[in-house]
């Protein structure tokens, strides 16, 4: 239709025309470098399992696992059934520096702000946080590990489990 924009209303960006092509284009460096790294390990005097120990394991332990912990903490509400916690899922964190560096690089501890205003660049999310941190709809937790500890202490969950 004439006069209609092809951009999405929330971010103003144009939706991808060819998702498979975009997927491959975004991962092209990985598709090139990973076989090259395996080949270099193969040629080196190191055993091939060194690739797993020196490359794959650190990525898993220092990237994948912390990101999964952050995602769990950002979306977790200790209450059963899950539908009763839906109104409590606007969660942000005010973690110590080392926790923010480990679990939430690029200011992802401002999780509620990121979902409320997805177009705000990560380095400006602290401004949004200053505007909403005292709102009752926003839960601000102090620590990722502290929240995980409360989850473990609360197991098994029941309908009487307090909201955390």
């Amino acid at each position: 239709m004439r006069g209609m924009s092809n951009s999405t209303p929330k971010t103003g960006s144009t939706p991808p025309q060819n998702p498979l092509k975009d997927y491959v284009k975004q991962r092209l460096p990985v598709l090139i470098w990973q076989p090259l790294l395996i080949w270099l390990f193969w040629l080196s005097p190191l055993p091939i399992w060194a690739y797993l120990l020196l490359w794959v394991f650190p990525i898993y332990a220092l990237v994948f696992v912390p990101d999964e912990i952050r995602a769990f903490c950002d979306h977790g509400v200790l209450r059963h059934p899950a539908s009763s916690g839906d109104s409590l899922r606007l969660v942000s964190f005010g973690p110590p520096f080392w926790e923010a560096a480990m679990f939430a690089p690029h200011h992802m501890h401002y999780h509620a702000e990121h979902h409320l205003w997805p177009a705000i660049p990560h380095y400006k999310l602290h401004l949004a946080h200053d505007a909403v941190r005292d709102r009752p709809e926003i839960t601000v937790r102090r620590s990722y590990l502290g929240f995980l500890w409360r989850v473990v202490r609360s197991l098994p969950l029941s309908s009487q489990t307090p909201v955390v």
Side-chain angles (χ1 to χ4, degrees):
M1 289 187 181
R2 188 171 287 204
M4 299 272 307
S5 171
N6 195 22
S7 66
T8 57
K10 288 186 179 179
T11 63
S13 62
T14 303
Q17 299 300 319
N18 187 339
L20 180 61
K21 183 178 178 183
D22 291 342
Y23 179 86
V24 172
K25 184 178 178 183
Q26 289 175 356
R27 284 151 182 84
L28 194 57
V30 173
L31 295 172
I32 292 170
W33 280 104
Q34 290 305 307
L36 183 61
L37 280 171
I38 292 170
W39 183 70
L40 288 173
F41 269 97
W42 192 270
L43 292 177
S44 78
L46 294 171
I48 194 65
W49 57 262
Y51 169 77
L52 297 172
L53 182 67
L54 299 174
W55 189 252
V56 175
F57 177 74
I59 289 173
Y60 180 79
L62 298 174
V63 177
F64 177 75
V65 171
D67 187 58
E68 291 300 312
I69 290 171
R70 181 200 52 79
F72 172 78
C73 292
D74 285 347
H75 298 98
V77 175
L78 294 184
R79 180 179 268 176
H80 187 75
S83 61
S84 64
D86 286 346
S87 64
L88 305 169
R89 292 191 192 275
L90 280 175
V91 177
S92 285
F93 279 82
F97 173 78
W98 69 271
E99 270 194 4
M102 181 70 177
F103 296 112
H106 306 292
H107 306 101
M108 283 307 296
H109 55 284
Y110 299 122
H111 183 254
E113 297 80 1
H114 164 71
H115 279 281
L116 290 170
W117 298 287
I120 295 178
H122 73 88
Y123 51 86
K124 297 276 190 178
L125 286 172
H126 69 281
L127 299 173
H129 179 71
D130 292 342
V132 299
R133 71 174 161 222
D134 295 326
R135 303 273 318 216
E137 302 89 357
I138 308 292
T139 302
V140 180
R141 297 178 181 149
R142 292 185 149 175
S143 168
Y144 289 98
L145 295 178
F147 176 71
L148 286 174
W149 180 243
R150 286 193 303 273
V151 169
V152 169
R153 283 192 347 240
S154 299
L155 294 176
L157 297 179
S158 70
S159 60
Q160 274 66 37
T161 300
V163 175
V164 180

